[in-house]
C-alpha cells in the first residue's frame, strides 16, 4: 500500500523539542552554569598553585639564609662548618640535597647528585648572575632528568680575596604540582554531576516559569470568530506574562470590534443593495406583466436604470474606499479655488435641499487657493453637504463658508447645519468606517457609514485637519483646514490627525 505524508512547516519531534522554549531556557542556564564552574575551577587552581609555589619559595629563602652561614669558600674549595648536634646535621643534609657551587668559568666546585640530574646552569647565566650587584637573587623553574620540576634560586656568595662564586639551590615542586593536579581532577570530576543536577533544576524551573503560557495558549485556542468576547483571565502577578495576556486581550477586543463592524457592514450593504434590487425587480415585472404601451415599457426601464445607477454608486464607493485605504488612490493636485468648488456643489445640492425645505446658503471669500485634487475635494464637500441635508429636518438651514483659516497659510471650509446633532459619545467614532449613529432620528435615514471615512481620508491625504462641533438637537459644524497654495514653494503638510470637539 502506497502512503504519502506531506507536512508543511511542522518540524519533526526532536527538532520541535530542541526548538522549544523550555529546552532553550534550560540549555542557556546549563551553558552559563558550566562556563561559570569552569572559570571558578581554573581560578582556584591558579590560586592554589601560586600559594603552594609561594610556600616553596619561602622555604628556599630560609635555605639560602642558612647555607651562607654553613659554607665558606677557601682557595676555591667550599668548606662546611661541622654540625654540633643531630638537628644541625639534618639541616646541613637538607641544604646539600639540591645545590650547586661553581666558579666564574662554570667549573663545579661542589654539587649534589640531584642538581646534576637537573643539569648545571649554562655559562652565560652564571656569568650574568656573578656580575649582578650585591644581594641579587633570581628564581627559575628547572626539570630533572625524570621530569620532576624544581624551583631553583640563583645568586652568588663571596670567598677568600673577595672572589664571587655562583650558588644555586633548589627544592622539588613535585608535591605542590601533585596537589594542584589532585584538586583539578577532583573538581572536574564533580563538575559533570553538578551540571546534570543543574540541568534537571533548569528543566524544572523553566517548566514552572512557562507553565502559565500553556493556559494562555489553551484560552487562545478557545477563542473563535464567533466567540471573540472570551478573555484570558489575568494572573495578577504584574509580570511579563500578565503584560502579554493584557496585550492579547486588547487584541481580541480590537478584533471583536472589527468583526462587529464587518457584521454591521454586511447587514447595511445587503440592506442598501436590497432596496434598489427590489425596486429593479418590481420595474421589470411591471414591464413584463402589465405594460402594454411603449411609454409604459420606457418608464419602467428608466426607473430600473436609476436604481442600477444607485447600485453601482454604492459599489463604486466601497471600491474607492478600499483603494484609498490601501494607498492605491494617488492625488492629482493642482491649484484649486476652494470657494469656486464650494459654490458649484452648493448649486448642485439646491434641488434636494429645496425638496426637504432646507435653506442652503454659501458665503465665500475670494482667493482661497489650495493645492488639491479637484475630484476628491468635490467628493469631500458633497459628502459633508449630503450629511448636513440628510441629518437636518425640514425647515432647517445649512450654510457653507469658505475663508481664511487660523493662520495665513491655511484656508478654511465650514459646513454648518441646524440638524439633529451628534451626541458626544458618538463624536469620536463618526469617522470610523461603517459607523452610523443609531437613534430614533437617524434610523430612518439610509446610509452606509462610509461618507465621513472618505472625508477623513481626503483631508489627511491633503495634509489638513477636521474639527467637529455639535450639539444634539441644535446642529453640527464641520470645519476643515487645508494648507494654502504657496506662491513658489511646495505644499507644507499640517498635523494629519483629525480633531473632534463637542460643543
Ligand atoms: P453614507 O455617507 O455612507 O451614505 P452616513 O451618512 O450614515 O452614510 P457618514 O457620512 O460616514 O455615514 O456619517 C456617519 C454618521 O455620522 C452618520 O450616520 C450620522 O449619524 C452622523 N452624522 C454625520 N454628519 C452629520 C450631521 N451633519 N448631523 C448629524 N449627524 C451626522
Ligand atoms: Mg454620509
Amino acid at each position: 500500500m502506497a502512503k504519502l505524508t506531506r507536512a508543511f512547516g511542522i518540524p519533526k519531534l526532536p527538532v520541535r523539542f530542541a526548538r522549544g522554549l523550555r529546552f532553550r531556557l534550560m540549555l542557556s542556564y546549563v551553558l552559563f552554569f558550566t562556563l561559570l564552574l569552569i572559570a571558578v575551577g581554573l581560578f582556584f587552581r591558579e590560586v592554589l598553585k601560586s600559594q603552594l609555589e609561594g610556600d616553596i619559595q619561602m622555604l628556599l629563602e630560609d635555605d639560602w639564609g642558612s647555607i651562607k652561614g654553613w659554607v665558606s669558600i677557601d682557595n676555591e674549595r667550599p668548606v662546611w662548618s661541622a654540625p654540633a648536634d643531630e638537628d644541625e646535621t639534618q639541616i646541613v643534609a637538607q641544604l646539600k640535597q639540591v645545590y650547586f657551587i661553581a666558579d666564574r668559568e662554570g667549573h663545579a666546585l661542589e654539587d649534589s647528585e640531584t642538581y646534576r640530574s637537573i643539569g648545571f646552569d649554562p655559562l652565560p647565566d652564571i656569568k650574568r648572575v656573578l656580575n649582578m650587584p650585591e644581594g641579587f637573587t633570581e628564581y627559575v623553574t628547572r626539570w630533572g632528568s625524570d621530569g620532576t620540576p624544581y624551583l631553583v634560586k640563583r645568586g652568588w656568595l663571596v670567598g677568600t680575596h673577595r672572589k664571587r662564586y655562583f650558588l644555586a639551590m633548589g627544592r622539588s615542586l613535585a608535591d605542590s604540582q601533585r596537589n594542584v593536579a589532585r584538586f583539578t581532577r577532583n573538581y572536574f570530576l564533580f563538575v559533570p554531576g553538578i551540571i546534570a543536577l543543574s540541568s534537571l533544576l533548569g528543566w524544572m524551573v523553566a517548566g514552572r516559569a512557562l507553565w502559565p503560557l500553556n493556559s494562555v495558549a489553551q484560552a487562545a485556542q478557545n477563542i473563535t470568530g464567533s466567540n471573540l468576547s472570551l478573555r484570558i483571565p489575568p494572573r495578577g502577578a504584574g509580570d511579563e506574562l500578565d503584560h502579554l495576556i493584557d496585550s492579547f486581550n486588547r487584541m481580541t477586543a480590537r478584533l471583536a470590534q472589527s468583526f462587529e463592524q464587518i457584521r454591521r457592514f454586511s447587514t447595511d450593504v445587503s440592506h442598501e443593495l436590497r432596496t434598489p434590487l427590489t425596486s429593479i425587480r418590481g420595474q421589470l415585472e411591471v414591464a413584463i406583466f402589465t405594460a402594454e404601451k411603449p411609454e409604459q415599457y420606457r418608464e419602467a426601464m428608466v426607473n430600473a436604470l436609476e436604481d442600477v445607477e444607485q447600485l453601482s454608486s454604492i459599489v463604486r464607493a466601497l471600491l474607492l474606499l478600499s483603494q484609498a485605504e490601501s494607498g492605491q488612490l494617488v492625488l492629482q493636485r493642482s491649484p484649486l479655488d476652494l470657494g469656486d468648488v464650494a459654490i458649484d456643489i452648493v448649486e448642485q445640492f439646491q434641488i434636494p435641499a429645496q425638496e426637504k425645505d432646507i435653506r442652503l446658503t454659501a458665503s465665500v471669500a475670494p482667493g482661497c487657493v489650495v493645492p488639491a485634487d479637484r475630484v476628491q475635494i468635490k467628493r469631500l464637500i458633497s459628502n459633508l453637504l449630503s450629511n448636513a441635508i440628510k441629518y437636518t429636518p425640514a425647515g432647517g438651514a445649512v450654510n457653507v463658508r469658505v475663508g481664511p483659516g487660523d493662520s495665513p497659510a491655511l484656508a478654511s471650509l465650514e459646513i454648518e447645519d441646524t440638524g439633529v446633532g451628534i451626541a458626544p459619545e458618538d463624536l469620536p467614532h463618526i469617522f470610523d468606517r461603517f459607523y452610523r449613529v443609531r437613534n430614533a432620528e437617524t434610523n430612518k435615514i439610509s446610509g452606509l457609514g462610509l461618507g465621513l471615512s472618505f472625508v477623513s481620508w481626503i483631508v489627511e491625504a491633503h495634509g489638513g485637519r477636521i474639527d467637529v462641533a455639535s450639539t444634539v438637537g441644535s446642529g453640527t459644524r464641520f470645519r476643515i483646514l487645508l494648507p494654502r497654495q504657496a506662491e513658489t514653494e511646495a505644499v507644507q503638510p499640517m498635523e494629519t490627525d483629525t480633531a473632534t470637539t463637542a460643543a
Side-chain angles (χ1 to χ4, degrees), residues 233-246:
R235 294 149 58 246
D239 57 4
E240 288 85 351
L241 209 70
D242 264 359
H243 184 61
L244 177 76
I245 291 174
D246 187 43

Side-chain angles (χ1 to χ4, degrees), residues 408-426:
L410 298 173
S412 137
L413 165 78
E414 279 179 31
I415 294 174
E416 195 168 4
D417 62 51
T418 58
V420 296
I422 305 165
E425 62 272 19
D426 290 314

Side-chain angles (χ1 to χ4, degrees), residues 383 386-387 390-391 451-452:
N383 271 312
S386 109
N387 279 353
K390 252 193 335 188
Y391 301 106
L452 287 183

